[in-house]
Amino acid sequence: MDGSTMTTPRSASEVASEVAPVAVARVPRRRPRFGRARWVMIAFVAPALAIYLLMVIVPSLQTVQLSFTNWDGISPTYDEVGLQNYTEILASDRFWNAVKNTMILGLGSAVIINVISLVVALMLDRLNHATGFFRTVVYLPALVSAFIMATIWKYLLNYNFGIANSVLRDMGLPGWARDWLGDSGIVIGVLLFIICFTLGGNTTLIYLANLQSVPQELIEAARIDGAGGWKVFWNVTWPMIAGAVTVNMTLAMIAGWVIFDQVLVLTTGGPGFVSETMAFFIYKVGFGEYRAGLGSAAAVVLFLVVIASTVAANAYMRRREIQA
């Protein structure tokens, strides 16, 4: 073989020396795509966040600190009392009565409101005429504040000139006339009715919006397979609106735990302390009896109860939602 045509193998260093002169263009480092937009969003959020911290977070932390004192809400000085406020609360029959009323009104209204709202939403979903009118009628009570609605009911249920007792007397049933807001045996039931009447509008519309998002193809397929109305609802509609059930139950429970306006306007916790709720107990003790330290301790207990019950209920509903 001719030596002139033979090639000798080159080392890696020789190959690298030939490639080295070739200029390689450097790719500039890209800045974060949303860097400027992120700072703009932070600038918009910062004022609201500062106000929230000053008006909500800081007072909440101060409430925890005051719960270990004997502050009366007026004096510039107070003494540390440790867990005395908490032990007094837990040993108070009045507090436990408020807890019982809160559970009846809170949990009871949550269940009743969701059941009635779902039934009404199912009826509205099947309407073909005047749907806008009936939706407006259902939602109207939610547009009125709880304070104003409670004031209206206070006049309607007045023993002497209220329309409820007037109608009963005109019908020849004077024995049925009751002091609806002063009878300790029925006052909690009356409050429960008024609360359910006031808070059902939003819940109904949430259910209605979710019902209208259920694919009609699934419903028609179930009917073709021979499923009746109840089976269609239980096997098709109910799993599709499980998320709405979770949201509505959570919102209703939170609203039920902090019921205050209706009690303040209708009964002021009476007769005696019979109709007090936890929120009203905190207000009455802290501002009415000038025991801000004890009221702060009760507020901390209420906060813990709301958090624990809401998390537990939401976790349970989420599991049901996944199983559905």
Side-chain angles (χ1 to χ4, degrees):
M1 182 178 293
D2 189 1
S4 61
T5 59
M6 292 180 62
T7 59
T8 59
R10 293 179 297 174
S11 64
S13 59
E14 293 176 345
V15 175
S17 62
E18 294 179 2
V19 177
V22 180
V24 179
R26 293 184 61 187
V27 179
R29 296 181 62 184
R30 298 180 61 185
R31 294 181 178 181
R33 183 177 179 183
F34 299 104
R36 182 175 300 177
R38 185 182 297 112
W39 285 109
V40 171
M41 288 188 291
I42 293 175
F44 276 104
V45 172
L49 180 60
I51 294 174
Y52 182 79
L53 289 174
L54 292 176
M55 301 300 293
V56 178
I57 302 300
V58 173
S60 299
L61 296 177
Q62 190 177 18
T63 299
V64 177
Q65 184 261 329
L66 291 174
S67 67
F68 298 101
T69 69
N70 62 352
W71 188 44
D72 60 5
I74 300 177
S75 301
T77 59
Y78 49 79
D79 299 322
E80 300 288 340
V81 296
L83 298 175
Q84 178 179 333
N85 290 327
Y86 291 95
T87 56
E88 181 178 348
I89 286 175
L90 296 179
S92 172
D93 293 336
R94 178 183 173 187
F95 173 76
W96 288 111
N97 178 72
V99 172
K100 181 192 70 174
N101 293 338
T102 303
M103 293 185 65
I104 294 174
L105 296 177
L107 299 179
S109 63
V111 174
I112 294 173
I113 287 173
N114 275 272
V115 171
I116 296 178
S117 297
L118 181 56
V119 173
V120 174
L122 289 170
M123 295 173 61
L124 292 175
D125 187 47
R126 297 186 178 185
L127 284 178
N128 296 322
H129 303 286
T131 56
F133 170 77
F134 288 106
R135 292 176 189 176
T136 304
V137 170
V138 170
Y139 188 69
L140 276 178
L143 298 176
V144 184
S145 69
F147 185 90
I148 296 176
M149 185 63 70
T151 302
I152 295 173
W153 278 105
K154 185 175 182 179
Y155 285 102
L156 293 176
L157 298 177
N158 185 275
Y159 178 78
N160 296 315
F161 55 82
I163 189 173
N165 286 341
S166 297
V167 170
L168 291 173
R169 294 187 184 104
D170 293 340
M171 294 176 60
L173 300 171
W176 289 23
R178 304 286 296 274
D179 187 3
W180 304 101
L181 301 176
D183 189 337
S184 59
I186 63 173
V187 64
I188 295 299
V190 174
L191 288 174
L192 180 60
F193 169 79
I194 295 174
I195 292 168
C196 293
F197 181 86
T198 306
L199 301 179
N202 292 324
T203 308
T204 302
L205 290 188
I206 293 175
Y207 278 131
L208 182 60
N210 280 264
L211 286 172
Q212 293 182 343
S213 65
V214 176
Q216 293 298 317
E217 295 81 3
L218 297 178
I219 297 177
E220 294 297 333
R223 290 175 177 171
I224 292 174
D225 290 340
W230 172 251
K231 289 186 176 180
V232 170
F233 170 79
W234 186 251
N235 295 292
V236 179
T237 306
W238 179 255
M240 297 296 293
I241 65 172
V245 176
T246 301
V247 172
N248 282 333
M249 282 295 297
T250 302
L251 294 177
M253 286 184 60
I254 295 175
W257 280 120
V258 294
I259 291 172
F260 174 79
D261 296 348
Q262 296 87 344
V263 178
L264 175 65
V265 175
L266 294 170
T267 66
T268 61
F273 305 124
V274 171
S275 61
E276 281 188 342
T277 60
M278 292 181 69
F280 189 82
F281 174 84
I282 294 169
Y283 162 78
K284 193 70 174 179
V285 169
F287 297 98
E289 302 175 8
Y290 300 102
R291 304 182 67 186
L294 185 65
S296 298
V300 173
V301 173
L302 175 60
F303 173 78
L304 295 177
V305 169
V306 171
I307 292 297
S309 61
T310 302
V311 171
N314 196 47
Y316 172 76
M317 296 298 295
R318 288 295 182 187
R319 288 198 301 269
R320 297 287 299 175
E321 182 179 338
I322 294 173
Q323 292 175 3

